[in-house]
Amino acid sequence: MILQAKETVEIRIDAQEHTGIGLALQDLIRDLSHVMNIQADCRKYLSDVEGFSILVGSLSNPAFSEFLTKKKIDFSDIHGKTEHYFVKSLGKEGQHLVIAGSDTRGAIYGIYEFSRVVLDVNPLYLWTGHAPTPKESLDLGSISLTDGPTTFRHRGWFINDEDLLLGWTGKFDQDFQNNAFTKHAGYANALEPIMETALRLKQNLLIPCSLLDILDPSDEDLVRRVSERGLLISQHHIEPLGVFPKRVRRYWQERGDVEPLSYTTNPEKYEEVWRLYASRWARYDNVVWQLGLRGMGDKPVWADDPYAPETASGRGQLIAGAIAKQHEIIAEALGHSNFASTATLWMEGMELLKGGHLSFPKETIIIHADFGPTQMLGDSFYEGKREPDRQYGIYYHVAFWSCGPHQVQGTSPQKIYYNLQAAVQQGNTDYLVVNVTNLREMLLGTQYTAAIGWNFGNYEPEAYLQDWSFEHYGQRGGQAAALAYQAYFGAFHALDNQGYAGRMLLMDGMCRRLTIKLVAILKGQPFTKDEIQNKTLLAFDQDEDFISYYKNATGDALPKWDNALNAAYQALQEMDEERREFFTTNLMVQLSLIRALYRAVHHLSVAAEIVLAGSTREENARGRILEAVAELQQASVIRMHAEKGKWKGWYDGDVLLNLPDLIRQVRECAGNY
């Protein structure tokens, strides 16, 4: 069957199918229009059609499976499976095309797989701007596609520290770092391309933002949209039952109770709020519930609770008791105990489990987390005992705040592969959620985790980077682009190589911390060994040692950044014009930003060395500080290349790396000399 451009295609789908299948079908109709200017006559009932037709549905819908049976269409290969699909040409010369899923998401994946394979619509096209090549005709006579997940059962993204997304889609409270921000209608619109992309990459779960409050109608709209798309939804690891600890405090303050909150002494106050939120979340049947007990600001519960136990065993019992109560509350809200739940062992949870101090409901999936600043699974992951018949998963970062990567990608395919391979070998395959922050900067790592999360045997990292570069930058520029990415990932300074080459790299968030620390030294403030999660960054007792280390570290890295920039520039010259904009935003802008941050740290280190040496050449110190200002200003200008078209204002919400604030602080410092 040869389908010609500008034809009209008959599409049939039963009206009782999940809304997510209908939304994916709308995307397919749009793809057909873009690629071949084809119009679709989509009817929500199953019937015989003369001429070419597309039949779409899921076996979980009895009407669809009965129709296939009546037409003697064999669906035994996917029957009874989870998230499987087939796309087949049937009838004389492929007169009909059937897209069938074993369930809702299987059908959705089948729809998008047809777009990817047959229409050549790239899953990332909403972010890359690469339009599929128009086609005059399609031979649909012998299509046969079938697949299903083989590695991770739950596969999803966590949209976290989403300052750029929030600023791009509308105004928000600038007190982002203190969690005093709210979502708005614009954010809900931005969630649509995120969800479409996730489904095109065969993800099945989404944590749509940080600190979602389902009692806020605009936030509940996000939950509804995720549900309608056919995705599972879960909650931030500091939001058990969807409740951030500060909301528990606010709940009681609004009722006139200003006494300090303590789950140790007054668990009933927490449990009342948990019940309220559980009753609202229970309206949705696609929830993977988060269990746990943490303090304010993503800290251990004992950081805020003066009555919390001081021993590891006592702390473990406190958290385990809260989790058991949460599980009970969810069962009450749902009216049954057949629900999915996770407990994410972030920071202190890993150590408590390793020490044997934590217990969980038998149905709860235990999630091991990597150490964010390194994106590496830690000792507790490898050394902790695993229970027979227990489900395990991982929480992984291709982006992380406050150390980074945040506005520049820094987690290479090799590091991703190394850690996910360990998860597979240890049996942590029931859940994979990946922190992708604002997503746009992290597309390479995000797509790679999706590919090997679906089937770990899909890609070795080197082959993936090659294929990704050719796919996005074409035959002319693909090889040069792959070399440029390799040079980029190889230019970061390694703060820690223990156990893995490049275990901890000097990222953009770390450079921000170093810049602020060096400015403080230049202003004459006493040097302190600040208590931060990434202790390696400030592991110095004397300011002289601190300054010397980062002067040398950045100095050694600067030639590598220059070489990477040269490789990227050469690649840009080789690729076709229509491929250059995405390469500019995805690599050249990011490379220029991290290079400028390194150069700023280097200039400030030299300036601080001059000042501490008591040199009379303070004018030289001032010159170095102004050099740092110039580097940051230039990076701010270069970032504008990533703000064209629909991306206008992308950096309006930059309140975490906060480049404008860094420029201000360093410029003011120069005024002291």
Side-chain angles (χ1 to χ4, degrees):
M1 173 66 190
I2 305 299
L3 183 64
Q4 302 293 339
K6 300 182 181 180
E7 289 189 17
T8 297
V9 172
E10 302 281 343
I11 299 176
R12 295 293 182 267
I13 179 173
D14 184 68
Q16 298 305 309
E17 294 288 1
H18 191 282
T19 56
I21 299 177
L23 291 170
L25 194 53
Q26 289 180 19
D27 295 334
L28 172 60
I29 292 170
R30 186 181 67 226
D31 293 346
L32 286 166
S33 177
H34 287 166
V35 174
M36 299 184 67
N37 195 21
I38 281 177
Q39 304 303 308
D41 180 14
C42 185
R43 305 293 178 88
K44 291 189 176 182
Y45 56 82
L46 302 175
S47 65
D48 293 327
V49 176
E50 292 184 7
F52 178 72
S53 68
I54 299 176
L55 178 67
V56 181
S58 65
L59 300 183
S60 52
N61 176 12
F64 182 71
S65 57
E66 289 170 8
F67 186 83
L68 295 184
T69 301
K70 179 181 177 182
K71 295 300 177 183
K72 298 181 180 180
I73 297 173
D74 181 18
F75 52 81
S76 59
D77 286 350
I78 65 172
H79 185 254
K81 296 181 179 179
T82 301
E83 298 182 347
H84 281 61
Y85 62 84
F86 70 69
V87 183
K88 292 182 180 179
S89 302
L90 298 171
K92 185 179 179 180
E93 297 180 348
Q95 186 177 11
H96 305 294
L97 183 75
V98 177
I99 302 176
S102 60
D103 49 24
T104 293
R105 278 187 293 278
I108 292 171
Y109 298 154
I111 291 168
Y112 288 128
E113 188 71 354
F114 175 79
S115 278
R116 186 185 72 83
V117 175
V118 180
L119 302 180
D120 294 325
V121 177
N122 188 280
L124 296 181
Y125 85 99
L126 292 168
W127 306 86
T128 66
H130 294 163
T133 303
K135 300 179 186 297
E136 289 300 318
S137 64
L138 279 178
D139 184 353
L140 301 177
S142 57
I143 294 174
S144 181
L145 307 170
T146 185
D147 202 1
T150 62
T151 306
F152 287 90
R153 182 162 63 96
H154 295 97
R155 307 170 306 279
W157 299 343
F158 179 17
I159 310 300
N160 184 221
D161 297 314
E162 60 276 25
D163 60 334
L164 302 185
L165 275 170
L166 286 167
W168 178 57
T169 57
K171 295 181 179 179
F172 61 94
D173 192 316
Q174 291 295 313
D175 195 15
F176 181 93
Q177 297 185 73
N178 290 323
N179 313 119
F181 65 95
T182 57
K183 308 299 182 300
H184 39 70
Y187 187 84
N189 294 334
L191 196 61
E192 293 297 331
I194 291 173
M195 292 188 294
E196 180 181 333
T197 304
L199 288 165
R200 286 182 184 267
L201 293 176
K202 300 184 176 73
Q203 302 296 279
N204 62 14
L205 180 143
L206 188 68
I207 304 174
C209 60
S210 308
L211 313 180
L212 185 151
D213 186 349
I214 200 169
L215 299 187
D216 183 320
S218 62
D219 277 14
E220 184 169 12
D221 182 50
L222 304 182
V223 180
R224 178 187 58 78
R225 289 178 184 236
V226 174
S227 179
E228 289 178 347
R229 265 291 183 175
L231 286 160
L232 301 169
I233 188 170
S234 193
Q235 300 139 341
H236 192 314
H237 58 264
I238 58 173
E239 298 177 69
L241 284 64
V243 186
F244 184 55
K246 286 186 178 179
R247 293 202 180 96
V248 180
R249 182 172 63 189
R250 186 181 68 194
Y251 176 89
W252 290 107
Q253 288 175 342
E254 289 172 349
R255 285 152 182 79
D257 189 340
V258 296
E259 294 297 321
L261 272 175
S262 167
Y263 186 76
T264 309
T265 57
N266 297 107
E268 69 281 355
K269 289 187 176 181
Y270 279 79
E271 291 162 10
E272 179 173 327
V273 183
W274 290 342
R275 285 189 171 87
L276 173 63
Y277 277 80
S279 67
R280 185 63 67 89
W281 278 93
R283 297 177 180 182
Y284 301 89
D285 61 3
N286 62 323
V287 180
V288 177
W289 298 81
Q290 182 69 237
L291 310 180
L293 184 68
R294 304 209 71 222
M296 310 291 176
D298 206 2
K299 297 177 182 177
V301 64
W302 50 86
D304 303 307
D305 186 348
Y307 305 104
E310 296 184 359
T311 64
S313 61
R315 289 169 170 176
Q317 289 175 14
L318 178 72
I319 295 171
I323 287 173
K325 176 57 71 173
Q326 291 163 2
H327 196 273
E328 175 187 314
I329 289 171
I330 296 168
E332 291 173 358
L334 294 172
H336 61 81
S337 58
N338 184 27
F339 59 87
S341 63
T342 62
T344 302
L345 303 180
W346 177 243
M347 295 174 66
E348 71 279 0
M350 296 282 280
E351 291 302 315
L352 289 173
L353 183 69
K354 178 182 173 182
H357 305 304
L358 276 178
S359 62
F360 305 91
K362 63 180 181 178
E363 306 89 352
T364 298
I365 308 171
I366 295 178
I367 311 301
H368 291 99
D370 63 338
F371 181 55
T374 64
Q375 306 92 54
M376 297 291 296
L377 294 165
D379 294 341
S380 298
F381 168 82
Y382 293 99
E383 298 171 4
K385 293 182 180 180
R386 286 167 172 78
E387 305 171 38
D389 302 322
R390 165 75 70 180
Q391 299 175 68
Y392 292 90
I394 63 168
Y395 168 36
Y396 191 70
H397 293 79
V398 297
F400 178 77
W401 192 256
S402 61
C403 294
H406 186 68
Q407 286 191 24
V408 302
Q409 54 201 318
T411 312
S412 68
Q414 287 81 2
K415 182 180 280 190
I416 293 170
Y417 184 88
Y418 181 91
N419 286 280
L420 265 62
Q421 182 181 53
V424 172
Q425 291 172 344
Q426 294 286 345
N428 284 52
T429 57
D430 282 287
Y431 185 94
L432 168 63
V433 70
V434 182
N435 190 319
V436 299
T437 189
N438 296 283
L439 184 59
R440 188 185 178 206
E441 285 75 16
M442 309 298 165
L443 294 171
L444 191 159
T446 299
Q447 188 170 11
Y448 188 45
T449 55
I452 60 178
W454 175 263
N455 182 342
F456 187 74
N458 268 349
Y459 274 117
E460 296 282 338
E462 292 78 11
Y464 170 78
L465 183 57
Q466 289 281 331
D467 288 355
W468 197 87
S469 297
F470 277 99
E471 182 176 15
H472 291 289
Y473 304 120
Q475 291 300 312
R476 286 189 58 203
Q479 184 60 44
L483 292 174
Y485 278 98
Q486 290 171 358
Y488 169 85
F489 284 116
F492 287 95
H493 173 74
L495 294 171
D496 177 5
N497 275 325
Q498 183 179 2
Y500 181 85
R503 174 182 171 86
M504 181 185 292
L505 303 177
L506 182 55
M507 300 288 187
D508 51 342
M510 300 180 189
C511 287
R512 173 179 171 80
R513 283 188 179 275
L514 295 178
T515 299
I516 293 171
K517 192 76 172 174
L518 288 164
V519 165
I521 292 172
L522 286 163
K523 288 183 175 180
Q525 297 176 13
F527 181 81
T528 57
K529 192 174 180 180
D530 300 336
E531 184 63 28
I532 63 171
Q533 184 184 16
N534 177 11
K535 296 179 174 61
T536 303
L537 191 67
L538 302 177
F540 301 89
D541 294 317
Q542 302 295 326
D543 48 6
E544 293 91 343
D545 296 333
F546 169 79
I547 294 165
S548 176
Y549 180 88
Y550 286 107
K551 184 192 78 169
N552 294 330
T554 51
D556 291 344
L558 290 181
K560 298 178 183 178
W561 287 122
D562 291 343
N563 290 336
L565 186 60
N566 181 61
Y569 179 80
Q570 294 300 321
L572 188 69
Q573 308 314 303
E574 294 185 26
M575 65 184 61
D576 294 334
E577 180 69 29
E578 66 269 15
R579 304 284 180 169
R580 292 179 180 178
E581 183 174 344
F582 178 59
F583 185 75
T584 298
T585 59
N586 190 256
L587 186 63
M588 297 207 70
V589 168
Q590 295 185 32
L591 200 165
S592 299
L593 174 58
I594 190 65
R595 179 175 174 267
L597 288 168
Y598 268 59
R599 291 176 71 86
V601 170
H602 185 73
H603 286 306
L604 293 173
S605 299
V606 174
E609 198 173 61
I610 292 171
V611 171
L612 288 188
S615 171
T616 58
R617 299 176 299 153
E618 285 200 351
E619 184 61 33
N620 290 343
R622 184 175 187 274
R624 287 288 190 163
I625 298 170
L626 291 175
E627 289 275 10
V629 173
E631 293 290 346
L632 298 176
Q633 288 174 332
Q634 184 181 43
S636 182
V637 172
I638 291 173
R639 282 201 316 188
M640 295 178 184
H641 288 284
E643 294 191 295
K644 296 179 179 179
K646 70 179 182 180
W647 303 109
K648 182 180 179 181
W650 178 249
Y651 296 108
D652 285 357
D654 175 20
V655 296
L656 292 179
L657 179 62
N658 207 340
L659 191 55
D661 178 65
L662 279 184
I663 293 170
R664 177 191 60 78
Q665 289 194 49
V666 179
R667 186 190 296 116
E668 288 178 357
C669 178
N672 296 333
Y673 294 91

